[in-house]
Amino acid sequence: MPGMLTINVLENMTREDKQRLFHRAETDIHGLAEVVRPVLDDVRARGVRAVLKYAKEFDGADMAKSQLKVTKAEFDAAESKVSKKVRDAIGKAVRNVRLYHERQMPDAFVMTEVEPGVYAGEKITAIASCGLYVPRGKGSFPSVMVMLGVPAVVAGVRDLCMVSPPDKDGLADPATLVAARACGVERVYKVGGVQAVAALAFGAAPIPRMDKIIGPGNPYVSAAKRLLFGTVDVGVPAGPSESIILADETTDPRIAALDLLIEAEHGPDSCALLVTHSARLAADVAKRAEALVRKLPEPRRSFCMSGFGKYGGVVLTRSRQASIEFTNLFAPEHLEILVQEPFAALAEIQHAGEILVGPHTPITTGNFCLGIDAILPTGGFARTYSGVSVYDFLKRASVGYVTEQGLKSLGPPAATLAEYEGFPAHARAVRDRNKK
């Protein structure tokens, strides 16, 4: 496997080379629209019958013989199937993530007196309903359930459900059920993929229509959510995993190599990059990472090889500043800072889904139990989107209150602007308000 990690010298790269480097799997989903659209249309037209058809076709699960909704007995059975060690780890993750999100919660109602007798503010309420999507295709992901379920429950969403693909026997993943119960989410449906997203968007009884769908998925799920934008709130654009390890000549190459593989092993469509201005470090990390990949079991070894060959590798820049500029332009989902002065570099980072600082904060900690949320924007959307938080499950209504005295001050300029913009009824509503 020599040369598995390509070392790209940024200054020598052509425009086409850079486009290739920035062309993440997320951008490939546009080509899937013609595959995904018929599934969406079918579920909208035929409801649960279409959902059952695609569950059998795509997941190999005959859900017509099994109840779509997870029963209490299945939740109880899941507890016995998951080891105490894993249950304790899930419990710790839930505690830390809950504490972090509880401290995010804003005041439910605030008002500011902007001038005497004139008050402006906002009222915060939870969204009415939300469907949480927890993937399963490349493994079991109870941590995703934690990262979605905890902030949704903390925010106070009352109509809440989770969907996740079944196995071939029509059963939900036991650890994900343990995590769901720990979060306080016990309405779970055994359905995944495009058909699950469609069911949540349109309703496919017993699966209810939701106001919002949130959670990561494969490119097909991402494409479905893009097509449903405008029909339903599809939340943070979270597609295939991606990361940047930002390093310099002081970085421990062993740690950089270990951490480079964290997101690379997620799947063949993952993007993992080492960005540094140290040629010596780049060569050392590439060599160590290749050796580490050889030791991985399948399918993770093949995932890394495919991802590094297509989307990942090493970017060698001319300077520390150039590395930071590249990172901001790339806007990665996960950013790990391993330079000599990590907090100085942190001050210069503008675009990243999450930023993990220093050699003792590998991406692993953020993914599972540090407390920060690991459902993050991908595909460069970290330039405009934030990671999942309680704010994804809350909405703000502006509130205004003006006293009689306040209107004497506010009315004339409001009427003036209304008339200037050609709205005489607007102006009259202010000027004639106190006329008998």
Side-chain angles (χ1 to χ4, degrees), residues 1 3-8 20-21 243 245 256-265 267-274 285-286 288-290 292-293 296 300-314:
M1 253 181 325
M4 180 174 61
L5 268 77
T6 302
I7 297 179
N8 302 280
R20 175 190 57 79
L21 197 63
S243 64
I245 308 297
L258 286 168
D259 293 358
L260 187 61
L261 268 59
I262 293 173
E263 293 304 301
E265 72 170 346
D269 47 8
S270 296
C271 171
L273 292 169
L274 174 77
V285 171
R288 290 171 183 265
E290 290 177 12
L292 289 170
V293 169
L296 288 175
R300 304 299 170 183
R301 180 167 64 244
S302 292
F303 288 168
C304 288
M305 292 173 63
S306 177
F308 283 135
K310 192 172 183 181
Y311 300 112
V314 180

Side-chain angles (χ1 to χ4, degrees), residues 225-347:
K225 291 199 289 183
R226 293 281 182 89
L227 291 174
L228 289 168
F229 182 82
T231 299
V232 64
D233 184 341
V234 294
V236 176
S241 300
E242 57 188 49
S243 64
I244 281 181
I245 308 297
L246 183 64
D248 63 12
E249 65 278 358
T250 69
T251 302
D252 184 334
R254 183 181 65 88
I255 288 178
L258 286 168
D259 293 358
L260 187 61
L261 268 59
I262 293 173
E263 293 304 301
E265 72 170 346
H266 268 271
D269 47 8
S270 296
C271 171
L273 292 169
L274 174 77
V275 179
T276 182
H277 63 276
S278 170
R280 178 179 295 180
L281 179 79
D284 196 349
V285 171
K287 181 178 179 181
R288 290 171 183 265
E290 290 177 12
L292 289 170
V293 169
R294 293 189 188 100
K295 296 177 182 179
L296 288 175
E298 289 293 356
R300 304 299 170 183
R301 180 167 64 244
S302 292
F303 288 168
C304 288
M305 292 173 63
S306 177
F308 283 135
K310 192 172 183 181
Y311 300 112
V314 180
V315 176
L316 183 61
T317 69
R318 67 181 183 278
S319 66
R320 170 188 176 279
Q321 191 58 41
S323 293
I324 290 174
E325 289 173 1
F326 175 88
T327 299
N328 280 326
L329 188 61
F330 196 88
E333 176 191 19
H334 304 273
L335 170 62
E336 192 174 312
I337 301 179
L338 296 180
V339 300
Q340 185 174 21
E341 297 181 0
F343 282 97
L346 173 64

Side-chain angles (χ1 to χ4, degrees), residues 53-86:
K53 170 192 171 184
Y54 294 115
K56 190 170 184 177
E57 182 177 333
F58 298 145
D59 297 326
D62 188 356
M63 299 307 296
K65 298 179 180 179
S66 177
Q67 186 173 334
L68 278 176
K69 187 177 181 181
V70 175
T71 64
K72 181 180 182 301
E74 288 177 283
F75 269 105
D76 294 340
E79 297 282 346
S80 64
K81 293 177 182 178
V82 178
S83 70
K84 183 178 184 302
K85 184 177 181 181
V86 173

Side-chain angles (χ1 to χ4, degrees), residues 97-110 122-127 150-157 389-396:
V97 174
R98 180 178 290 132
L99 178 61
Y100 174 77
H101 287 91
E102 284 175 345
R103 293 183 177 178
Q104 278 186 333
M105 282 294 288
D107 292 335
F109 180 64
V110 293
E122 62 183 17
K123 175 180 170 59
I124 309 292
T125 55
I127 63 174
V150 168
V153 170
V154 169
V157 179
S389 70
V390 295
Y391 300 107
D392 286 277
F393 303 97
L394 299 171
K395 54 189 177 63
R396 300 187 302 273

